[in-house]
Amino acid sequence: MAVLYSSRSLPEGDLKGELLKRDPTLDYRIWPDTGAVEDIEFAFVWNPEPGDLARYPNLKVIFNLGAGVEKLLLDKSIPAHVPIVRLVDRALTACMTEYVVMHVLRHHRRQVDIEANQRARKWDPFEMPPAWERKVGVLGHGVLGGDAAEKLVHIGFDLAGWSRHAKTQAGVVSYHGWDQLPAFLARSEILVCLLPLTADTAGILDAKRLAMLPRGASVINAARGGHVVDKDLLAALDSGHIAQATLDVFHQEPLPADHPYWAHPRVTVTPHNASLTYDASVAPGLLAAMADLKAGRPLANVVDRGRGY
Amino acid sequence: MAVLYSSRSLPEGDLKGELLKRDPTLDYRIWPDTGAVEDIEFAFVWNPEPGDLARYPNLKVIFNLGAGVEKLLLDKSIPAHVPIVRLVDRALTACMTEYVVMHVLRHHRRQVDIEANQRARKWDPFEMPPAWERKVGVLGHGVLGGDAAEKLVHIGFDLAGWSRHAKTQAGVVSYHGWDQLPAFLARSEILVCLLPLTADTAGILDAKRLAMLPRGASVINAARGGHVVDKDLLAALDSGHIAQATLDVFHQEPLPADHPYWAHPRVTVTPHNASLTYDASVAPGLLAAMADLKAGRPLANVVDRGRGY
């Protein structure tokens, strides 16, 4: 049996080293040097091309090296019996939370305005409310959303989360289902999108939903570019209904050089590095999951292909 | 007996309203309309001129409406028997912590570089280490420093604090005294200054101490401008030894229009609004302290004039 690293876009980094120092017996191969395709039982993948994974007749499990699996699910050639596991990892979660906390604070404290004042050498010590007077909404109240919400509650923010099913988390008001989305949006002065991208959630932040946010709200999107209808967000920014946006993800990445987001004075563009896959952190989890599979124990974080995440 | 609000620089805001709705019997006066000076027993002050407070023969206590008392202590005409109380307030502490957490994250995640890349339409998804690989040092491990450290530990940072005497706080390595300052500085990749300004701490961040920080360190000063030797910090920034600085406080405020900090690409200037005095938050504490004094109970947060804070 062998493990294959399969990505055309993400260099392998040092995942091999991190794995082999924990299990020197591992037969580790890196695409396109697969060796005999019959040997491959485990695949670690990031955005493979459709058909890439159908070549391995004995494949037992696919580990996606990120939280989002929407591109992988477009590949209908992956056999239905092969489970796809999405990455749930301490460092991935922690770094996403750092990103969310920083950008919520930047919007809450109007840091963009303070920096514009600095460029104009303008001293304007305006007052800011404490965090408990600021309502933050986490759209996508799952593993990542729950961790970010917990840190934001600890800092003092007034938190709500929205998800498919109701969640219980201290200090976080839970909204769930499409019926409760308008009420959730209406109270979210700072909205953080951490949803999976599925057929249901694509384009969720369109003109209609943006209009449900309170006037002067800010939007942070650290999920997928496909959640936002760009022309609607730009119109809401230009009308002043949305005060600021921070975007880490885009319909096309890298963001094209002529895209209006780059130079918009009230848009912060970050280059899809809110959170990355940290080899040293994910290696123990991958080995543990492979051991689970060999021992016949159930796998955690298996993607529900019908649900889309 | 009467209460006097005495400041030449800070407008009264709505402290009067916040106090009177809790105690409508309060005889509240605002300088210069003091009425009979013999009536004044309590003074709420912010940066009064020397001599302003010597005019009230029956003054029992001075409440400073901020955490820093260094200017008040320059006034040698304040009778030695009148206690000075410095502000310790939930909102003041919480907002300072928000400021510190945001700016530590900005330095940790190189947000200044990301914003420079945005201006250049450059897509560079560089990797950032998780917080537990980043050493943060809080210079001034008191009420404000302890609260900021607690939130930073919760996010995952590797924390140390420095203070006059050793402190015990979960997740924070305590350094104390001048002997341990070099070791504390040597481990601080991001240094946060929250010290009181005293004869001992004035100019503490000079060329010698900045050189003790690891190469590439960042400095956040939310204490007083007098802690930093500006020419030494600018030299350390220009040599590259210090990567970034965020400064909320300055030797002269407002920061003069020709000061090199304004346009320095690696300095973030904020206009001394990291944390302000929030009338609705401080009013109950002021009333409680006055009640303590009337009942003969000991006052909290009394300044040690010899120590300077």
Side-chain angles (χ1 to χ4, degrees):
Chain A
M1 83 106 202
V3 177
L4 178 72
Y5 180 91
S6 181
S7 174
R8 292 169 188 248
S9 59
L10 186 72
E12 201 268 345
D14 195 31
L15 185 55
K16 179 177 181 177
E18 294 292 340
L19 290 163
L20 288 182
K21 77 182 183 196
R22 291 171 175 85
D23 180 1
T25 70
L26 212 61
D27 181 357
Y28 191 88
R29 303 177 189 179
I30 299 175
W31 183 92
D33 300 321
T34 60
V37 294
E38 294 77 13
D39 298 346
I40 308 297
E41 295 190 6
F42 304 98
F44 301 158
V45 309
W46 184 244
N47 290 349
E49 292 292 309
D52 275 358
L53 297 169
R55 301 173 54 229
Y56 312 104
N58 297 317
L59 193 62
K60 289 196 167 60
V61 63
I62 295 167
F63 293 103
N64 189 61
L65 294 173
V69 292
E70 73 285 350
K71 286 187 190 160
L72 197 53
L73 296 186
L74 294 176
D75 183 356
K76 301 304 177 193
S77 72
I78 297 174
H81 71 273
V82 178
I84 297 171
V85 174
R86 66 196 163 95
L87 185 65
V88 173
D89 171 69
R90 176 185 174 222
L92 183 84
T93 302
C95 291
M96 183 59 85
T97 291
E98 292 176 23
Y99 180 90
V100 170
V101 169
M102 176 176 73
H103 286 286
V104 166
L105 283 167
R106 282 178 75 246
H107 291 302
H108 168 58
R109 297 183 60 91
R110 295 172 51 196
Q111 180 60 25
V112 169
D113 295 337
I114 289 178
E115 288 169 25
N117 285 343
Q118 178 176 350
R119 287 191 289 276
R121 298 176 186 243
K122 181 178 167 190
W123 182 272
D124 176 13
F126 56 78
E127 195 168 325
M128 285 161 276
W132 53 84
E133 294 181 11
R134 187 73 72 188
K135 289 182 165 61
V136 179
V138 176
L139 189 63
H141 192 185
V143 173
L144 297 176
D147 190 72
E150 194 268 333
K151 266 65 176 183
L152 290 167
V153 166
H154 193 73
I155 290 169
F157 286 101
D158 183 350
L159 258 284
W162 181 84
S163 46
R164 176 187 286 245
H165 301 291
K167 300 284 170 80
T168 300
Q169 181 175 10
V172 184
V173 181
S174 174
Y175 291 81
H176 72 280
W178 297 102
D179 288 353
Q180 295 184 9
L181 184 59
F184 165 81
L185 293 172
R187 58 108 55 213
S188 295
E189 296 172 317
I190 300 176
L191 182 74
V192 180
C193 180
L194 288 170
L195 286 167
L197 184 62
T198 69
D200 285 341
T201 66
I204 190 170
L205 294 178
D206 61 5
K208 185 178 75 172
R209 267 59 171 266
L210 292 169
M212 290 176 181
L213 293 168
R215 187 170 176 83
S218 296
V219 173
I220 298 167
N221 186 19
R224 286 291 181 261
H227 289 115
V228 173
V229 179
D230 288 345
K231 69 174 175 43
D232 292 358
L233 177 58
L234 287 163
L237 284 161
D238 291 339
S239 79
H241 184 71
I242 301 297
Q244 306 271 349
T246 292
L247 306 171
D248 190 52
V249 287
F250 305 93
H251 285 269
Q252 188 182 338
E253 296 178 7
L255 184 65
D258 61 351
H259 199 288
Y261 284 151
W262 280 116
H264 199 292
R266 294 187 287 118
V267 175
T268 301
V269 171
T270 63
H272 201 153
N273 65 348
S275 192
L276 303 167
T277 299
Y278 299 89
D279 295 335
S281 181
V282 302
L286 291 170
L287 291 168
M290 289 192 288
D292 284 344
L293 194 79
K294 286 183 208 167
R297 292 187 290 266
L299 286 170
N301 308 310
V302 174
V303 171
D304 177 336
R305 295 200 204 179
R307 196 178 63 169
Y309 65 94
Chain B
M1 81 104 204
V3 177
L4 178 72
Y5 180 91
S6 181
S7 175
R8 293 167 187 247
S9 58
L10 187 72
E12 202 268 346
D14 195 33
L15 185 56
K16 179 179 180 175
E18 293 293 339
L19 290 162
L20 287 181
K21 78 183 182 196
R22 290 170 174 84
D23 179 0
T25 71
L26 213 61
D27 181 356
Y28 190 88
R29 303 178 189 178
I30 300 176
W31 183 92
D33 300 321
T34 60
V37 294
E38 294 77 14
D39 298 346
I40 307 298
E41 295 189 6
F42 304 99
F44 301 158
V45 309
W46 183 244
N47 291 348
E49 293 291 310
D52 276 359
L53 297 169
R55 301 174 53 228
Y56 311 105
N58 298 316
L59 194 61
K60 289 196 168 57
V61 62
I62 295 167
F63 293 103
N64 188 62
L65 295 173
V69 292
E70 73 286 352
K71 285 186 192 161
L72 197 53
L73 296 186
L74 295 176
D75 182 357
K76 300 305 176 191
S77 71
I78 297 173
H81 71 273
V82 178
I84 296 171
V85 174
R86 66 195 163 94
L87 185 65
V88 173
D89 171 70
R90 177 186 173 221
L92 183 83
T93 302
C95 291
M96 183 58 85
T97 291
E98 292 176 23
Y99 180 90
V100 170
V101 169
M102 175 176 73
H103 287 286
V104 166
L105 283 167
R106 281 179 76 245
H107 292 301
H108 168 58
R109 296 182 60 89
R110 295 173 48 197
Q111 180 60 23
V112 169
D113 295 337
I114 290 178
E115 289 170 24
N117 284 344
Q118 179 176 349
R119 286 190 291 275
R121 298 177 185 242
K122 181 179 167 190
W123 181 273
D124 176 13
F126 56 79
E127 194 168 327
M128 286 161 275
W132 55 82
E133 293 180 12
R134 187 73 72 188
K135 290 183 164 61
V136 179
V138 176
L139 189 64
H141 192 185
V143 173
L144 297 176
D147 190 73
E150 194 269 333
K151 266 67 177 182
L152 290 166
V153 166
H154 193 72
I155 290 168
F157 286 102
D158 184 349
L159 257 284
W162 181 84
S163 47
R164 176 187 286 243
H165 301 292
K167 299 284 169 79
T168 301
Q169 181 175 9
V172 185
V173 181
S174 174
Y175 291 80
H176 72 279
W178 298 100
D179 288 354
Q180 296 185 8
L181 183 59
F184 166 82
L185 293 172
R187 57 101 65 206
S188 295
E189 296 171 319
I190 301 176
L191 181 75
V192 181
C193 179
L194 288 170
L195 285 168
L197 185 61
T198 68
D200 285 342
T201 65
I204 190 169
L205 294 178
D206 60 7
K208 184 178 76 174
R209 265 60 171 264
L210 293 169
M212 291 176 181
L213 292 167
R215 186 170 179 84
S218 296
V219 173
I220 298 168
N221 186 19
R224 286 289 180 265
H227 289 115
V228 174
V229 179
D230 288 346
K231 69 174 173 43
D232 292 358
L233 177 57
L234 286 163
L237 284 160
D238 291 339
S239 79
H241 184 71
I242 301 297
Q244 305 271 350
T246 292
L247 307 171
D248 190 52
V249 287
F250 304 93
H251 285 268
Q252 188 183 336
E253 296 177 8
L255 185 65
D258 61 351
H259 199 286
Y261 285 149
W262 280 117
H264 199 292
R266 295 188 286 122
V267 174
T268 301
V269 170
T270 63
H272 202 154
N273 64 348
S275 191
L276 303 167
T277 299
Y278 299 89
D279 296 335
S281 180
V282 302
L286 291 171
L287 291 168
M290 289 193 287
D292 283 345
L293 194 81
K294 285 183 207 167
R297 292 187 290 266
L299 286 169
N301 308 310
V302 173
V303 171
D304 177 334
R305 296 200 203 179
R307 195 179 65 170
Y309 64 97

